[in-house]
Amino acid sequence: MKLLVINPNTTTSMTEAIASAARAVAAPGTEIVAAQPSFGPASIEGHFDEAWAAAGVAEQAQLAASWNPAATILACFGDPGLEAAREALQGPVLGIAEAAFHAASFLATGFSVVTTMTRTCIIAERLVQRYGFEHLCRGVHGTDIPVLALEDGTGEVLAQLEEASREALALDRSGALILGCAGMAPLCAHLSRSLGVPVIDGVAAAVKMGEALASLGLKTHKQGDYALPIPKRFNRF
C-alpha cells in the first residue's frame, strides 16, 4: 500500500526526517510518500503559522487525490487542515495528535504531552478537548525549544527535552508520555529507554493506525460533511 505523509511546514530537512521516521515503522510493502506545501511557514509555532499550514495541507491533499493514497498522515501536532484533507481524500486521514492520544490511552490511565513552544500548549489542549481525552491527559508542557532546533537531535536539546519530560511525568503522575511535535520523532527511542515509560511518537502511531485502517478496506465517509469538495474556482496568490 502507498501512504502519504504530509509535513505541513516547508522545511525540507524536517520533511525528510519525518519520512525516515515513518519508513522505520512501516510494514514491508508499505511505501511512504512524503510531501510538504509549496508555500507557508518554515515551522509551525502559533495560530498564525497554523492557519497557513492548514491551507498548505489542503493543497497537498488536493494534489494527492489524483493518485488516491491508501491513508494519509498529517505530521504536525496541531493536526492543521485535518478536516479539509478528509474531504479531499478517499482513504483515512490521521493527525498525529489524535493518533498519539489514542495510542497512549491503550497504555496508561493518564498521559502527559511535552511539546515545543509554550505558546502552542493551548493548541494541544484544545485538541485534547476536541477529541475527548480530557479524562486521560494530565498536562501539556512547553519546553520553549524552537521547532527547527529539534533537528540537532543531540546534546543540549535532547537533555532539555529529557529533563522536561521527567518533570512532566512526576508532576502529572502520568504513566505515558506523548511527544508533541513531529520533529521529535527521531528522539523517541532514546527517551523511551531513558524515561522508563511508554513514549509515543505520533508519526509512528499514525502510520501504524493508517496501515491498519487501510488493510481493513476502510475509507473516509463520503456523504454529508466529508463529501468531496464542491468544484469551484479558486483564486491563487
Side-chain angles (χ1 to χ4, degrees):
M1 71 177 68
K2 187 181 290 189
L3 266 59
L4 172 64
V5 177
I6 302 175
N7 170 22
N9 75 37
T10 56
T11 297
T12 300
S13 57
M14 183 165 285
T15 302
E16 292 170 350
I18 290 168
S20 294
R23 291 180 182 121
V25 300
T30 296
E31 178 183 353
I32 300 294
V33 177
Q36 66 187 49
S38 65
F39 61 90
S43 60
I44 301 165
E45 296 172 316
H47 302 294
F48 187 84
D49 296 341
E50 191 168 89
W52 282 91
V57 166
E59 173 204 48
Q60 292 303 306
Q62 184 181 48
L63 292 172
S66 63
W67 58 271
N68 195 26
T72 298
I73 312 304
L74 304 187
C76 170
F77 205 76
D79 291 354
L82 178 64
E83 305 284 8
R86 284 178 175 164
E87 275 193 32
L89 295 167
Q90 301 280 350
V93 179
L94 295 86
I96 64 170
E98 188 173 18
F101 296 156
H102 280 288
S105 74
F106 300 144
L107 304 173
T109 57
F111 62 79
S112 298
V113 178
V114 172
T115 188
T116 51
M117 309 302 288
T118 301
R119 64 179 290 170
T120 66
C121 287
I122 184 62
I123 296 174
E125 289 166 354
R126 287 177 177 174
L127 288 181
V128 167
Q129 295 168 0
R130 176 181 174 184
Y131 297 146
F133 285 93
E134 302 100 316
H135 62 298
L136 290 175
C137 181
R138 295 181 179 168
V140 178
H141 305 265
T143 60
D144 288 320
I145 299 172
V147 168
L148 296 183
L150 293 168
E151 293 189 296
D152 169 37
T154 58
E156 184 178 344
V157 169
L158 184 56
Q160 184 179 348
L161 182 58
E162 185 173 341
E163 180 181 1
S165 299
R166 290 188 187 281
E167 291 176 356
L169 290 165
L171 179 65
D172 298 340
R173 296 182 295 110
S174 292
L177 182 77
I178 290 175
L179 301 179
C181 178
M184 295 177 180
L187 310 179
C188 185
H190 171 86
L191 291 171
S192 295
R193 291 190 299 269
S194 64
L195 296 174
V197 299
V199 178
I200 295 98
D201 157 39
V203 175
V207 166
K208 300 312 291 183
M209 291 179 187
E211 286 179 327
L213 292 170
S215 68
L216 291 170
L218 298 173
K219 297 183 180 297
T220 300
H221 178 64
K222 283 297 161 193
Q223 298 180 30
D225 56 323
Y226 280 159
L228 293 173
I230 299 170
K232 63 186 66 176
R233 178 175 57 85
F234 277 75
N235 294 321
R236 304 289 180 177
F237 62 88

